[in-house]
Amino acid sequence: MKTFRDQLQWQALILAQQQSGLNISTYCSKYKLSTSSFYAHKKRLASTESAFVCANISQHKVTEHKVTQLELMQPQTAIALEFAHAKLHLPHSTSPSFLAQLLRELTS
């Protein structure tokens, strides 16, 4: 039986593969994923990424989910999100749409 994965799930799988240090073939074998599907989704997600400016909160005051001051970072810097007592580190290549969806989920 085929498993349906949405764009967010494929983004997470691609990110996990990149962070695992395994090549795509080995990663797909280990997690029983189709390599052709993996490559197709990776290509599709890469083509939907747009230019994105990374930002670092240097001083902040959060009021109703609004950040008052941002400081630009180097584009190659990893993205670090802190929410409650958790930290999440994402590569700089993470798509803006994935970040937006992630932030919506965290604040709901």
Side-chain angles (χ1 to χ4, degrees):
M1 186 162 119
K2 288 187 175 185
T3 302
F4 176 80
R5 292 179 176 89
D6 62 20
Q7 183 176 347
L8 183 61
Q9 291 169 319
W10 276 109
Q11 178 76 28
L13 285 168
I14 292 165
L15 179 63
Q17 180 274 322
Q18 291 169 346
Q19 292 176 341
S20 73
L22 299 173
N23 65 39
I24 292 174
S25 179
T26 305
Y27 184 84
C28 289
S29 294
K30 183 175 181 176
Y31 293 101
K32 297 179 178 29
L33 299 169
S34 162
T35 53
S36 60
S37 292
F38 190 93
Y39 279 111
H41 286 283
K42 183 175 180 179
K43 182 179 180 181
R44 187 179 52 138
L45 289 170
S47 70
T48 61
E49 289 183 3
S50 61
F52 183 69
V53 176
C54 294
N56 182 30
I57 301 172
S58 59
Q59 296 176 2
H60 65 282
K61 177 180 178 185
V62 179
T63 308
E64 296 178 16
H65 305 293
K66 293 180 184 175
V67 178
T68 58
Q69 182 178 350
L70 296 177
E71 176 183 304
L72 293 179
M73 295 172 31
Q74 295 298 322
Q76 297 297 317
T77 305
I79 300 168
L81 298 175
E82 293 184 36
F83 190 80
H85 298 291
K87 283 186 180 181
L88 177 63
H89 297 274
L90 302 168
H92 72 278
S93 60
T94 303
S95 74
S97 59
F98 175 79
L99 284 174
Q101 188 170 359
L102 178 63
L103 292 171
R104 279 192 299 274
E105 293 296 323
L106 288 172
T107 58
S108 60

